[in-house]
């Protein structure tokens, strides 16, 4: 896409949703961090279902350590890979308590040092909680960026780097959420809803779906 097309593309997504945010439910930086850790290979709906049970019981690093790994597993057992995730959450909570006073650090290196936290999770926290212009490239953003021609790349890091280069500054804070939601509800993997897409005319996807007669 040209610079003008990228501006128009994002302007239209912003018009639909002027103040985008994550669909994960949270009331504190810590709750979001744990929700994002749990969301790996899981849906936001599934994570919210589990955290609605967990957070009334334990929603701080120390409270989860007091709860213990076995009890934590019971609260998140409906989520895929819950055994491994529980182990990571407990380990991350230990570090948060020991090194950060139980608070979520506003620092990429410190975030990525936590078990279960990679670049994508760190980007979500930095963007959503701390208002930093970061883009967490998940399967939705990777697909939308390549399919539309917004920011083609062979892997998630290449797409992230390109998005950060081509997206105008005024859109950087919201781009992460706009692209995820567009991929989740319109530019879907199996059958994109091209007839209802607000950026259809800007999109480079050659196999656009058509509306029913």
């Amino acid at each position: 896409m040209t610079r003008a097309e990228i501006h128009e593309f994002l302007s239209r997504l912003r018009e639909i949703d002027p103040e985008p945010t994550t669909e994960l439910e949270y009331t504190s930086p810590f709750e979001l961090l744990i929700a994002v850790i749990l969301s790996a290979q899981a849906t936001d709906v599934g994570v919210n279902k589990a955290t609605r049970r967990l957070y009334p019981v334990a929603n701080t690093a120390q409270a989860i350590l007091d709860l213990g790994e076995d009890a934590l597993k019971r609260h998140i057992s409906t989520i895929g890979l819950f055994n491994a995730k529980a182990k990571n959450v407990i380990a991350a909570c230990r570090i948060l308590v020991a090194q950060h006073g139980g608070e979520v650090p506003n620092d990429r290196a410190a975030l990525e040092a936590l078990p279960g936290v990679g670049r994508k999770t760190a980007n979500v926290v930095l963007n959503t909680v701390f208002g930093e212009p970061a883009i967490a490239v998940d399967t939705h953003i990777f697909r939308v960026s390549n399919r539309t021609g917004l920011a083609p790349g062979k892997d998630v890091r290449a797409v992230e780097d390109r998005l950060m280069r081509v997206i105008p500054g005024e859109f950087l804070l919201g781009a992460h959420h706009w692209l995820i939601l567009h991929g989740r509800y319109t530019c879907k993997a199996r059958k994109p809803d091209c007839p209802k897409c607000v950026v259809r005319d800007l999109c480079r996807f050659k196999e656009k779906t058509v509306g029913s007669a």
Side-chain angles (χ1 to χ4, degrees), residues 14-34:
R14 180 173 62 184
E15 185 175 351
I16 294 172
D17 188 1
E19 297 182 1
T21 189
T22 179
E23 293 187 323
L24 291 169
E25 297 172 357
Y26 72 99
T27 62
S28 69
F30 177 78
E31 287 187 359
L32 179 64
L33 173 65
I34 298 306

Side-chain angles (χ1 to χ4, degrees), residues 12-210:
R12 294 182 192 178
L13 296 184
R14 180 173 62 184
E15 185 175 351
I16 294 172
D17 188 1
E19 297 182 1
T21 189
T22 179
E23 293 187 323
L24 291 169
E25 297 172 357
Y26 72 99
T27 62
S28 69
F30 177 78
E31 287 187 359
L32 179 64
L33 173 65
I34 298 306
V36 179
I37 292 174
L38 297 178
S39 72
Q41 300 181 51
T43 66
D44 288 359
V45 172
V47 172
N48 289 338
K49 181 179 178 181
T51 57
R52 285 175 199 151
R53 295 192 303 269
L54 173 63
Y55 290 158
V57 177
N59 69 341
T60 67
Q62 187 60 59
I64 285 184
L65 290 178
D66 293 341
L67 184 67
E69 187 172 330
D70 289 341
L72 175 60
K73 287 179 181 178
R74 291 195 294 272
H75 281 87
I76 66 171
S77 61
T78 55
I79 301 176
L81 306 175
F82 71 91
N83 284 313
K85 290 176 181 178
K87 188 179 294 293
N88 282 334
V89 167
I90 291 293
C93 287
R94 287 198 186 101
I95 294 175
L96 289 175
V97 169
Q99 300 181 18
H100 304 287
E103 300 297 321
V104 176
N106 181 8
D107 177 80
R108 176 183 297 282
L111 285 169
E112 292 186 18
L114 299 173
V117 177
R119 184 177 181 84
K120 184 171 70 173
T121 297
N123 279 350
V124 173
V125 174
L126 290 170
N127 176 268
T128 306
V129 173
F130 298 113
E132 294 195 12
I135 299 177
V137 180
D138 67 351
T139 56
H140 297 301
I141 293 183
F142 185 79
R143 179 175 66 255
V144 169
S145 297
N146 277 284
R147 182 183 275 172
T148 63
L150 175 65
K154 292 183 178 180
D155 54 49
V156 294
R157 184 58 190 271
V159 169
E160 179 189 336
D161 290 344
R162 186 157 186 166
L163 285 170
M164 294 300 293
R165 288 199 307 271
V166 304
I167 291 178
E170 67 181 286
F171 300 108
L172 274 177
L173 192 58
H176 166 75
H177 300 297
W178 287 320
L179 296 176
I180 284 179
L181 295 173
H182 188 64
R184 183 173 291 164
Y185 296 113
T186 302
C187 195
K188 295 173 283 191
R190 293 187 178 181
K191 189 178 181 182
D193 195 1
C194 299
K196 295 181 179 179
C197 178
V198 298
V199 292
R200 175 188 173 97
D201 58 311
L202 301 171
C203 174
R204 301 293 197 265
F205 187 46
K206 295 179 180 179
E207 301 174 16
K208 290 186 176 72
T209 57
V210 296

